[in-house]
Amino acid sequence: MTSSSLEDLSITTDVLIVGGGMAGAWAATSAAQAGAKVVLADKGYCGTSGVTATAGPGHWWVPPNPPEARDIAVANRVAAGLGLGEAEWMYRIIDQTWRTLPTLARHYAFGIDEAGRVNYRAVRGPEYMRALRHHVLSLGVTILDHSPVLELLARSDGSIGGARGLRRREGGRLFQVNAGAVILAAGGTSFLSHLLGSGTNTGDGYLMAAEAGAEMSGMEFTAVYTIAPAHSTMTRSMAYSFATYYGADGHELDLPKMGPDLTVSLARALQRGPVYCSLNRMPDDIKARLHTISPNVPLVFDRWGIDPYRDRFEVTLHNDGTIRGVGGVRVHDADCATSVSGLFVAGDNASREKVAGAVTGGGNVNSAWALSSGVLAGRAAARLARGTQRDGTHLRPLGRAGLRPRRQPKAVDAAAARSGVRAEMHPFEKTLFRTEAGLKASSLVLEDLWAELADHAHTGTLAVRETAALLATARWSVATATTRRESRGIHRREDFPLQDSGFAVRLLSGGLDQAWVRIDETSTNARPGQFEAAS
Amino acid sequence: MIELIVADRCTDCGACVEVCPANVLDQGDAGLPVLVRVEDCQTCFMCELYCRADAIYVAPDCDRRVAVSPEEVVASGCLGQYRKHSGWDEWADRFPNEQWLMDVVFRRATAAASEEAKSGPHAGAEENQLPK
Ligand SMILES: Cc1cc2nc3c(=O)[nH]c(=O)nc-3n(C[C@H](O)[C@H](O)[C@H](O)COP(=O)(O)OP(=O)(O)OC[C@H]3O[C@@H](n4cnc5c(N)ncnc54)[C@H](O)[C@@H]3O)c2cc1C
Ligand code: SF4
Ligand code: SF4
């Protein structure tokens, strides 16, 4: 572990929340409102870190009247989820979002539409997270900023009783929180693509959950990409609804205007060469207000001296990984508990399969999920913590790769390993257009990198633990994608282009020394005979 | 990536050091924040938003460094633009948060796309559906 001359910081609390994006912040509010003493630790700063803060999360917003509106919304979503979603969960998050979001009105000025109605659905990220920070603090929650959590701590019965991390603005001083219950809300991961706001999200919450014995679900669904001006992070897609695309020779490309079909067509075009874009079809009245709708979108063009409505600028696609993909830690019950006692999960850290199914929940379901899973986990963790012992002396640290090597400690090139993860998880031919051979090749590379790191890395620095988390997540994703020998939703296999009804099941994954994949027997239509054991 | 802090604008309030999610800056001995880990910058512009002195310039380029001088960025008018257009602090009355218009924009975009699908060059493109 990192040594430090400063004395370690030790805190005892009811509920510890790891990660302060929207899921962690909503979890903190609900746990505090349920009477719990709450500590929230974020790697960066709760308010600016994570993908919520830089985006403009539009929530799944369906008021209870007219009554059929929710039935229609859920029926559409069940159909879109291609057999992997659950209507009951969808109703639950629609209702939870509708009840909870307006409670932020003291801290967030919700918009008023043309008809004078309050618009709760669409909020702007920086203001939303600033409001959530104020809300959380007003409820007496202790926030530890710049305090990445590195590993969970278990009691003798295996239940989770706290976590350990470092205070990176205090010279790497260690801190330990002894808690009655822990909620993981450390976000998803884009595998370090340049997706806006995703830099601190390296899958740490997945790794820590797996080390505690929890399983993942839906890790094959990572093939989501978002358009951005080349060399920028600005993966905000609204303006591209009005785009025209051109090849390097100046000819217009006939691409769909939005959605997953745009991604596929654009990726194929980018495989052939550079693609240029103009937002020339945007109506003048929208142009005039773009800077007050999404102020970070035009600033990129302004700084580069580009007129995006006349000029042609080069575009790229950044991978969303599990952020606007689907996978994460499997939610065990309606309290967002994991299969490990004392451990809960929320937001992108949790698998969204039950509400999004096999497609992205971008644009609405994702934030409704982050809010609702946060609220549910916070409430249940507070309840559990009330009856739990909080004695920090008998806690066992669970961190492995990067902290406690399997073999002889020695220096490991973590930066090279991170490049390796990027090289296997971002290229279109490896993630968007998958093949058996490609997945096998990725698996070999990732297994080697993992073995090296798990065998030898010992420094316990943040960078090494992040690298371990990225590698573990990538391994589960590749293993699950290999097992799903069909195409379904955002998982596309070039060698199995059709959907196979036998695969209308959710796939669980996990394992550290050995990655494994198996069917989630609770998902419908399971026909186990169709699966081979994962390699 | 964050490229510079304009020294004579900075009031040394420390906000950027505190809010940067990627821990790029340190408080320098001479007061001014120092860009110590620029390679970790995630180009999120959050430091700019929280800098009331409009002293920070983040270049939109996330995968390459660009050379800029304080004189250039001051002259460019970009300093403080994000905070202003976001309607923060003294700009609250003049630049309202219109994020809620997103719904309307997407409705318009869908309508335009289906209109074109019927008649325009992309006829038959039934992909023109919002993923709702
Ligand atoms: C550009 C963009 C636009 C989007 N637009 C929409 C939309 O319109 N509608 C919609 O529904 N969804 C949208 N999404 C998805 C939605 O934003 C996310 O699903 C949601 O914000 C996730 O919230 P979260 O709290 O789980 O994660 P985050 O907001 O990413 O928060 C995770 C936090 O965990 C912290 N963390 C990570 N590791 C550790 C650690 N080891 N220790 C402590 N803390 C840690 C991070 O610093 C971060 O603050 C969008 C996503 C993007 C990228
Ligand atoms: S936020 Fe602005 S004024 Fe404050 S220290 Fe940083 S650069 Fe200086
Ligand atoms: S742009 Fe974001 S990551 Fe970079 S220095 Fe500013 S706040 Fe930090």
Side-chain angles (χ1 to χ4, degrees), chain A residues 421-483:
Chain A
V421 170
R422 286 198 187 95
E424 299 311 319
M425 302 312 285
H426 295 158
F428 303 132
E429 71 275 15
K430 295 188 187 179
T431 290
L432 189 56
F433 308 121
R434 287 167 166 154
T435 61
E436 192 81 14
L439 289 163
K440 281 264 147 62
S442 292
S443 170
L444 287 177
V445 172
L446 294 168
E447 288 306 320
D448 277 353
L449 292 170
W450 171 261
E452 173 78 1
L453 192 121
D455 281 348
H456 305 297
H458 61 101
T459 51
T461 58
L462 177 58
V464 162
R465 281 295 275 171
E466 289 180 335
T467 309
L470 288 162
L471 278 168
T473 310
R475 287 167 84 222
W476 299 319
S477 181
V478 167
T480 318
T482 308
T483 305

Side-chain angles (χ1 to χ4, degrees), chain A residues 64-127:
Chain A
N65 281 307
E68 63 276 14
R70 289 187 178 179
D71 297 335
I72 294 167
V74 168
N76 286 341
R77 200 64 223 193
V78 166
L82 302 172
L84 305 189
E86 289 180 16
E88 193 189 349
W89 259 109
M90 296 176 193
Y91 281 111
R92 186 175 295 137
I93 70 165
I94 288 176
D95 196 58
Q96 192 66 58
T97 301
W98 183 77
R99 286 172 194 280
T100 305
L101 190 50
T103 65
L104 201 60
R106 256 183 62 210
H107 303 281
Y108 185 93
F110 288 101
I112 311 282
D113 72 13
E114 329 85 79
R117 287 176 308 235
V118 182
N119 180 305
Y120 290 106
R121 194 189 104 76
V123 295
R124 197 194 272 159
E127 288 81 1

Side-chain angles (χ1 to χ4, degrees), chain B residues 4-7 9-17 19 25 27 31-33 47-48 50-56:
Chain B
L4 58 83
I5 291 177
V6 180
R9 286 194 172 201
C10 174
T11 60
D12 194 22
C13 70
C16 55
V17 179
V19 304
L25 307 111
Q27 205 73 52
L32 283 189
C47 48
E48 282 195 22
Y50 278 81
C51 176
R52 296 187 78 141
D54 300 335
I56 304 178

Side-chain angles (χ1 to χ4, degrees), chain A residues 18-25 41-46 48-60 121 129 147-150 185-188 195-198 200-205 208 226 235-236 320 323-324 346-349 352 361-368 370 462, chain B residues 21:
Chain A
V18 181
M22 66 177 287
D42 196 281
K43 184 186 285 184
Y45 177 85
C46 170
T48 58
S49 286
V51 298
T52 316
T54 43
H59 295 64
W60 203 7
R121 194 189 104 76
M129 282 310 308
S147 302
V149 169
L150 294 185
L195 187 79
L196 185 63
S198 69
T200 55
N201 292 355
T202 43
D204 308 3
M208 291 190 276
T226 304
T235 46
R236 310 223 27 208
D320 278 73
I323 290 169
R324 273 183 285 202
D348 290 358
N349 204 150
R352 230 177 342 246
N364 48 24
V365 173
N366 291 352
S367 41
L462 177 58

